[in-house]
Amino acid sequence: MRWQIHHLDMVVSTNQTAHSFPVNSVIVAQQQSGGRGRYGRVWESPKGNLYLSVVVGDYEYQTPLLAFVAGVAVAEALSDYPVRLKWPNDVLLDGRKLAGILLERTDDGRTIVGIGVNVASNPTQGMLYETASLGGTVSVATVEANVLSALDMYLTQFETTGFAGIRDRWLHYAAGIGKEVTVRLPDRQLSGIFQEFSPEGALVLATSDKTILISAGDVFFK
Ligand code: BTN
């Protein structure tokens, strides 16, 4: 594997720590005091769950697609469980959020891929979505090893053959395609049918009067 892994006890956020590490570093922490979620939300981070951040390079205009590479890797790492992927990259167990992924860019063009998996426990209050955990049925170390090995494999596939194979794998795990969804954007909310996952990674939403390509947002199933 390509990774140089650093295990720490408590950090503010593994994503924040990872900003000062070179490409192919992985920061793993037992706890975070200021875990970050998407859109500036808090990611509750008690001991017992997996918190890791991987530093990768610059994939230019394809960098946002790393979120799907990571989503597929996490789904594959947890494929002993009936997991699904919710666009863009939430991992669901029984329709509830089990893992989240947060991409950040550094000033010098590296990319931080932050991954949180609810191995032992899940937050029950103040979340946008219902959450799930693996209930401690597997160790954090095992989930960490499986995620990092799958991420290494899917990154190599992405680098050598492009996004198409990742998209196919994502579709294998996809939840909600063909179903009615509501997508919450920063400034408005749209409802329609989740028609397709485009070759560029967009959610294709058919509303009552037009088809819209959405590149970021929170999806809710009806
Ligand atoms: C989401 O909102 O779904 C993304 C959550 C990402 C959480 C992980 S935990 C490890 C890494 N460090 C952080 O501060 N956040 C990410």
Side-chain angles (χ1 to χ4, degrees), residues 11-18 27-29 32 34-45 50-54 89-91 97 99-104 112-117 127 129 218:
V11 296
V12 175
S13 150
T14 56
N15 266 30
Q16 178 181 308
T17 304
I27 308 299
V28 188
Q32 302 182 112
R36 302 171 181 165
R38 292 169 66 213
Y39 302 114
R41 294 178 198 128
V42 170
W43 187 259
E44 244 180 59
S45 307
L50 178 65
Y51 312 107
L52 66 78
S53 297
V54 175
N89 53 26
D90 287 347
V91 182
K97 182 159 168 166
I101 292 161
L102 177 67
L103 293 194
E104 289 176 8
I112 314 288
V113 182
I115 298 172
V117 182
M127 295 294 285
Y129 306 108
D218 285 311

Side-chain angles (χ1 to χ4, degrees), residues 47-154:
K47 250 189 184 163
N49 294 335
L50 178 65
Y51 312 107
L52 66 78
S53 297
V54 175
V55 187
V56 296
D58 182 3
Y59 292 78
E60 298 175 7
Y61 71 96
Q62 288 203 311
T63 299
L65 299 178
L66 288 170
F68 301 105
V69 178
V72 164
V74 174
E76 200 81 16
L78 299 174
S79 59
D80 281 351
Y81 300 86
V83 292
R84 291 263 155 266
L85 284 169
K86 180 158 83 74
W87 187 93
N89 53 26
D90 287 347
V91 182
L92 306 181
L93 181 66
D94 298 330
R96 295 177 292 138
K97 182 159 168 166
L98 175 68
I101 292 161
L102 177 67
L103 293 194
E104 289 176 8
R105 298 297 298 269
T106 65
D107 294 339
D108 60 359
R110 285 166 296 129
T111 311
I112 314 288
V113 182
I115 298 172
V117 182
N118 297 332
V119 178
S121 67
N122 53 300
T124 51
Q125 305 237 310
M127 295 294 285
L128 192 60
Y129 306 108
E130 281 198 86
T131 57
S133 90
L134 299 174
T137 51
V138 60
S139 73
V140 183
T142 301
V143 179
E144 175 196 322
N146 291 350
V147 166
L148 290 177
S149 116
L151 191 59
D152 187 28
M153 189 186 95
Y154 282 110

Side-chain angles (χ1 to χ4, degrees), residues 129-208:
Y129 306 108
E130 281 198 86
T131 57
S133 90
L134 299 174
T137 51
V138 60
S139 73
V140 183
T142 301
V143 179
E144 175 196 322
N146 291 350
V147 166
L148 290 177
S149 116
L151 191 59
D152 187 28
M153 189 186 95
Y154 282 110
L155 260 183
T156 303
Q157 177 179 340
F158 181 53
E159 288 160 356
T160 51
T161 59
F163 187 58
I166 303 293
R167 176 172 176 266
D168 284 350
R169 227 38 222 147
W170 193 91
L171 284 167
H172 171 78
Y173 286 107
I177 294 194
K179 303 247 167 72
E180 210 179 329
V181 297
T182 296
V183 187
R184 208 179 279 174
L185 307 175
D187 56 339
R188 68 205 158 116
Q189 190 160 299
L190 295 165
S191 290
I193 304 291
F194 180 178
Q195 216 168 38
E196 215 215 316
F197 174 50
S198 86
E200 296 76 33
L203 182 155
V204 181
L205 186 75
T207 68
S208 50

